[in-house]
Amino acid sequence: MTAAVTATIWRPAPALRDPDQALWSELRFADAPVDLFTLFVAAIRNCEGAHPRRGDTYRHFERSLAGWVRAGFVSVTGAPPLYHLERNRLKMASPPVVPALQRTPFPKRTQHQRLWSAMRVLRAFDLPMLTMAANARPQAALQLVGVLTRAGWLRRTKTGWQMSGARPWPSVAPTVSRVVGRDGAHIRVTDAFGGIVELPVRAQRHPRHSERAAAPIVDGGVS
């Protein structure tokens, strides 16, 4: 006579139903630094349903992770970025309470913001499609697309560009500015959660345009 086998249904620990706890635990027990997409997919398995929509949970993750990075609990390395807990935080079973950033006002509909918003909606696009959707100049679109590709928000495809899951895509566009430090000029990209990426300024291919190209970039150089 064969004994009956009862299927066991896997259920996450009750504490992991909290998005912050789920995200923190994934970071804490990761064998190596982990990319944003892998981290979020692993965490949401434990807290599915924490918010009415999955996208709301992902945005919760983005805010919490940005706060932990800002407070020095989590480090970011590499490109695309990889996240890991600082060694002196590995014994913390529960996530820290980090003051939230002030709520960002609704973004102004500048050309820079229109391009960003169009990218979020299209997800994959070529230059004509992007400029038409954003009602933007091709030169301005190319400049912003180039910066976002180097910074990890976009990736090049055979037909154009595609959104990358390596960095968050909030509704407010990141600011882009040119800064000069001891090691030379850099393009600084700052997202809505306080994350900063600095890119070395590349040598200009067209010297006759160097004067205009060397002008400070504010919000990607587009308005």
Side-chain angles (χ1 to χ4, degrees):
M1 182 176 178
T2 304
V5 178
T6 303
T8 301
I9 301 176
W10 177 84
R11 292 185 177 88
L16 296 181
R17 294 172 187 167
D18 175 72
D20 285 346
Q21 185 65 59
L23 187 63
W24 183 264
S25 295
E26 291 298 330
L27 283 166
R28 188 176 175 221
F29 294 107
D31 295 330
V34 61
D35 65 90
L36 196 70
F37 178 80
T38 302
L39 177 62
F40 284 9
V41 168
I44 204 168
R45 290 182 303 177
N46 295 308
C47 60
E48 189 79 68
H51 292 88
R53 294 179 298 181
R54 177 174 286 193
D56 295 333
T57 304
Y58 282 138
R59 282 186 283 274
H60 184 115
F61 287 160
E62 290 172 353
R63 288 191 294 270
S64 296
L65 186 61
W68 298 341
V69 171
R70 193 173 66 250
F73 291 90
V74 175
S75 291
V76 189
T77 56
L82 301 176
Y83 297 82
H84 65 276
L85 281 187
E86 291 287 354
R87 291 178 61 88
N88 60 347
R89 308 296 180 182
L90 290 173
K91 293 183 179 180
M92 292 178 59
S94 299
V97 177
V98 178
L101 287 174
Q102 291 185 341
R103 186 176 294 274
T104 305
F106 191 79
K108 295 181 179 179
R109 294 292 294 172
T110 62
Q111 184 174 225
H112 178 82
Q113 179 64 44
R114 294 198 308 272
L115 284 164
W116 175 262
S117 298
M119 293 178 204
R120 293 180 73 233
V121 173
L122 296 171
R123 304 186 68 85
F125 51 85
D126 57 18
L127 185 62
M129 186 187 305
L130 177 61
T131 54
M132 183 178 298
N135 189 24
R137 299 188 304 273
Q139 182 180 2
L142 272 176
Q143 183 183 31
L144 183 58
V145 163
V147 170
L148 294 179
T149 301
R150 292 180 63 197
W153 272 276
L154 295 172
R155 60 180 178 177
R156 200 72 166 87
T157 66
K158 291 182 180 180
T159 58
W161 296 268
Q162 185 174 11
M163 284 176 60
S164 169
R167 294 198 181 278
W169 282 81
S171 59
V172 180
T175 59
V176 182
S177 57
R178 180 166 174 155
V179 296
V180 179
R182 293 182 178 179
D183 54 346
H186 289 77
I187 296 173
R188 177 175 293 169
V189 189
T190 308
D191 65 35
F193 302 118
I196 296 175
V197 180
E198 291 200 347
L199 308 169
V201 173
R202 290 175 172 171
Q204 299 297 324
R205 296 181 180 180
H206 306 290
R208 66 187 180 201
H209 297 310
S210 60
E211 183 177 351
R212 185 173 66 178
I217 303 173
V218 179
D219 279 352
V222 295
S223 59

